[in-house]
Amino acid sequence: MGLDAAMPSSFLDVVAAEFYAYTRFYKNNRAMMIAAFIWPYLMVLILLGLGYLFGSLSQYAARMGVRNPVFFIVSASTVAMSSTFIIDEVANYTLYNRWNGTLPYILLTPMRLPKQLLAASIPSTLVSPAISVTSALPVAIYFEGLRGAIIIAALYTVIVLGMVPLAGLSVLIAGLVLTVREETNIANSITPFLLLVSGVFYPVTILPKALQLIAVAVPVKYVVDIARAIASTGTFSHEVFLAVYVLTLMAFAYNSLVAPLLGAIEERVKRYAPF
Amino acid sequence: MHHSSRGLAKLLAVIYLHGVRTWRYKYSFINSSINTMLWITIFLLGVIMFVPAKELPVVAPQVFWGITVWNLITYTVIYISGWTTWFLVSMGLVEEHILHGLGLPLLLAGRLVTVLAESAIAVPLVYFVLRGVAGPMRLVENPWLLLYGLVAAEAMAIGYALVLATLALRLSIPGPMLDITNFILFVVGGIAAPVAKLPAQLRVVALLTPYSHAAELVRYAATGTRPYLGLLTETFISGALAVAMPLAAYAFYRFVEKHYLRRYGVRGVGRM
């Protein structure tokens, strides 16, 4: 009898186990949970605080073309906080297990490494944005009432959709981080780079032309576009549906491009035994 | 070997080993510097949307030095107390250093090598971004006072980080909480903007924040913005805090080492 048959663990079993581990982690580290709720507000505090000290809110609203700048900044912060979690959390998952000496056990499980890492990414992809949008909910309801709550729920859906094109990439980076044997995720500057070119707090048009071109291929830009479109008009315009369509196309295209590389990464990780 | 020469040998060994370690993990280190610059740029571009174009040349140097002081403080805290949590304790290296007669305060203060190397990359990058947006800036009027302010801020940060690192030896310090403190202090603690610019209630918070005094000195030395409490007072307060905070932190570590670490050991580690 093969090992797979002796230890029947489907992908869903592993996802369920990762969900359990993820929620227990937060249960046992409540300070982390509180911090996750506070983080979007910290971004808002910095931007509004510095903006207030050095300029004015009306100037920001006029230059950004948004109806309610505070609500927009809260929405944009939510997107910024949660939209790229997938890359960071998957890469840090491998590093954390390496420091704790549990990585060899994970690598020895019957499941292929890319699938294991993908399973590990799903809880954070779903839960992290949920925490961020939940924290933004009171502000949304305060400014926009029931409509605000609906907008925040829609944002959650869009953020999760925006994660799908990044799934393969995050697994690739997690494998890469193991093979280079560094102390931190050497690719975590990808996260702010994606946000930088996506124009999370400013229009992309103020960036150099080269960065504007790169932005077209970045999924997070479309998530930000949707947040801005909703915050500026308060409605779901055709721009929103167009952005959702582009994100769906990107999900298929990017994961198809990355898939052939995942096997090579797994082989490299197991050969160099990065413990 | 004479006591003082043994101490010097230890100091040189710590500096050398942190230097080697920074080189060994050069990709992590370079990535960290770029990461910092990118995050700062994201917020800078956002803040610029609030500022009328004609005011940018005045605002930009103040923002630059605020970011520089904050960068030093933040990375000192992360690279000392964060590193203690995620690396030193996880790898079981605390007891080994104590048994070899190397006190943790000296070992952790050596992380300054990495902090300064990180700042040497990130700060110029931030300058170039800001210069690209605001144009050429005059950055220094009094270099010695500027250096005094930066050294004072760094000494205070080392003291604070050592207290957190000591706590992390027994408790599970929530890392994000450190970031939260740093972010809040950046805005309300008189680091990002002159204390005089803050609303009256926040001014009290800023004056109670040790770093604000060093930041006021740095701003004065760089742009001529007069400190809220006056130059002489801020020079004295900054100097006193720069000496008192590391000494208090050292005394706290010795207390914890004697009463907890040597009796009960370092806290357990694990994912949960």
Side-chain angles (χ1 to χ4, degrees):
Chain A
M1 189 185 284
L3 192 59
D4 281 358
M7 298 176 65
S9 56
S10 71
F11 182 70
L12 285 179
D13 288 336
V14 179
V15 171
E18 291 292 348
F19 254 111
Y20 185 77
Y22 195 83
T23 51
R24 290 312 93 174
F25 177 74
Y26 272 124
K27 183 172 178 284
N28 294 337
N29 294 276
R30 292 206 173 88
M32 294 279 283
M33 172 76 96
I34 293 166
F37 273 103
I38 293 172
W39 261 107
Y41 288 106
L42 280 179
M43 291 182 125
V44 173
L45 170 79
I46 288 177
L47 205 60
L48 284 179
L50 293 182
Y52 169 76
L53 289 172
F54 292 114
S56 73
L57 201 58
S58 55
Q59 176 85 12
Y60 186 83
R63 291 175 77 173
M64 290 299 292
V66 292
R67 202 165 49 99
N68 184 337
V70 177
F71 180 54
F72 168 70
I73 290 172
V74 170
S75 304
S77 301
T78 306
V79 172
M81 271 313 296
S82 53
S83 65
T84 49
F85 256 108
I86 187 166
I87 294 177
D88 280 354
E89 296 223 349
V90 179
N92 288 336
Y93 169 88
T94 53
L95 282 173
Y96 203 90
N97 280 297
R98 183 166 73 180
W99 292 135
N100 280 334
T102 43
L103 185 64
Y105 303 101
I106 291 172
L107 291 178
L108 285 171
T109 56
M111 182 155 287
R112 300 279 305 270
L113 182 64
K115 279 174 83 175
Q116 173 69 46
L117 293 178
L118 197 61
S121 75
I122 289 174
S124 65
T125 305
L126 295 175
V127 177
S128 300
I131 292 172
S132 295
V133 298
T134 306
S135 76
L137 201 57
V139 175
I141 292 172
Y142 176 78
F143 281 117
E144 302 281 331
L146 182 62
R147 179 198 287 268
I150 294 169
I151 288 172
I152 287 294
L155 260 187
Y156 174 72
T157 313
V158 172
I159 289 169
V160 173
L161 182 64
M163 297 302 92
V164 182
L166 298 173
L169 177 68
S170 60
V171 172
L172 202 63
I173 289 171
L176 181 72
V177 165
L178 285 181
T179 56
V180 294
R181 301 187 187 198
E182 283 279 333
E183 67 169 340
T184 59
N185 171 12
I186 58 153
N188 72 2
S189 47
I190 285 179
T191 303
F193 180 75
L194 294 180
L195 289 174
L196 176 74
V197 299
S198 301
V200 66
F201 295 126
Y202 45 84
V204 178
T205 47
I206 70 166
L207 295 173
K209 282 272 180 254
L211 292 183
Q212 289 185 40
L213 276 175
I214 292 171
V216 175
V218 173
V220 185
K221 176 196 177 289
Y222 298 94
V223 179
V224 173
D225 282 352
I226 292 170
R228 187 174 297 143
I230 296 172
S232 59
T233 63
T235 57
F236 297 90
S237 62
H238 71 282
E239 288 171 352
V240 173
F241 295 105
L242 183 65
V244 168
Y245 176 68
V246 173
L247 282 175
T248 311
L249 286 182
M250 282 180 165
F252 284 107
Y254 286 9
N255 288 313
S256 305
L257 283 171
V258 166
L261 297 171
L262 297 180
I265 281 286
E266 180 183 27
E267 193 181 323
R268 194 174 161 78
V269 167
K270 289 189 172 170
R271 181 180 297 166
Y272 290 102
F275 313 129
Chain B
M1 196 187 281
H2 191 267
H3 188 72
S4 62
S5 60
R6 210 168 53 202
L8 182 66
K10 281 181 186 174
L11 176 67
L12 291 175
V14 165
I15 292 172
Y16 172 73
L17 287 172
H18 280 298
V20 168
R21 191 174 190 283
T22 303
W23 177 252
R24 160 70 184 81
Y25 291 129
K26 51 187 171 294
Y27 298 118
S28 292
F29 159 72
I30 291 168
N31 171 70
S32 172
S33 303
I34 294 171
N35 195 30
T36 305
M37 186 272 291
L38 288 170
W39 275 111
I40 289 173
T41 305
I42 289 168
F43 281 99
L44 267 181
L45 294 176
V47 170
I48 279 165
M49 292 286 111
F50 288 82
V51 183
K54 65 178 190 312
E55 290 178 23
L56 274 179
V58 179
V59 168
Q62 292 184 354
V63 172
F64 172 77
W65 284 110
I67 288 171
T68 302
V69 171
W70 179 79
N71 186 76
L72 275 175
I73 294 166
T74 299
Y75 276 88
T76 301
V77 172
I78 291 173
Y79 281 0
I80 290 180
S81 59
W83 184 71
T84 303
T85 311
W86 88 66
F87 183 78
L88 212 58
V89 174
S90 291
M91 297 294 282
L93 291 174
V94 176
E95 297 90 338
E96 197 170 322
H97 281 95
I98 292 174
L99 286 172
H100 280 87
L102 181 63
L104 285 195
L106 182 61
L107 174 70
L108 293 177
R111 293 288 287 162
L112 194 58
V113 172
T114 316
V115 173
L116 293 178
E118 188 274 341
S119 297
I121 295 177
V123 171
L125 288 175
V126 170
Y127 169 75
F128 286 119
V129 169
L130 207 51
R131 189 190 151 102
V133 175
M137 295 179 280
R138 183 176 163 76
L139 284 182
V140 184
E141 287 191 1
N142 184 338
W144 290 110
L145 189 63
L146 184 87
L147 188 65
Y148 178 84
L150 291 174
V151 170
E154 185 56 45
M156 293 175 203
I158 289 175
Y160 175 58
L162 187 56
V163 169
L164 292 175
T166 304
L167 289 172
L169 298 175
R170 287 296 304 164
L171 311 168
S172 179
I173 285 282
M177 286 299 181
L178 307 180
D179 290 347
I180 285 172
T181 317
N182 284 328
F183 272 99
I184 292 173
L185 289 183
F186 181 53
V187 179
V188 307
I191 299 171
V195 173
K197 267 194 167 188
L198 295 169
Q201 297 89 338
L202 288 185
R203 222 174 283 154
V204 178
V205 177
L207 291 175
L208 290 173
T209 305
Y211 305 128
S212 73
H213 305 287
E216 287 278 272
L217 281 185
V218 168
R219 263 189 298 272
Y220 176 74
T223 65
T225 310
R226 265 203 88 67
Y228 184 69
L229 295 181
L231 182 60
L232 202 62
T233 312
E234 288 295 24
T235 308
F236 173 74
I237 293 176
S238 297
L241 287 170
V243 173
M245 285 176 70
L247 286 179
Y250 181 73
F252 178 62
Y253 168 78
R254 291 305 300 257
F255 174 81
V256 171
E257 184 187 348
K258 184 178 174 189
H259 293 281
Y260 292 94
L261 295 184
R262 289 186 183 271
R263 283 188 192 177
Y264 309 110
V266 179
R267 72 174 169 84
V269 294
R271 171 139 177 87
M272 298 300 164

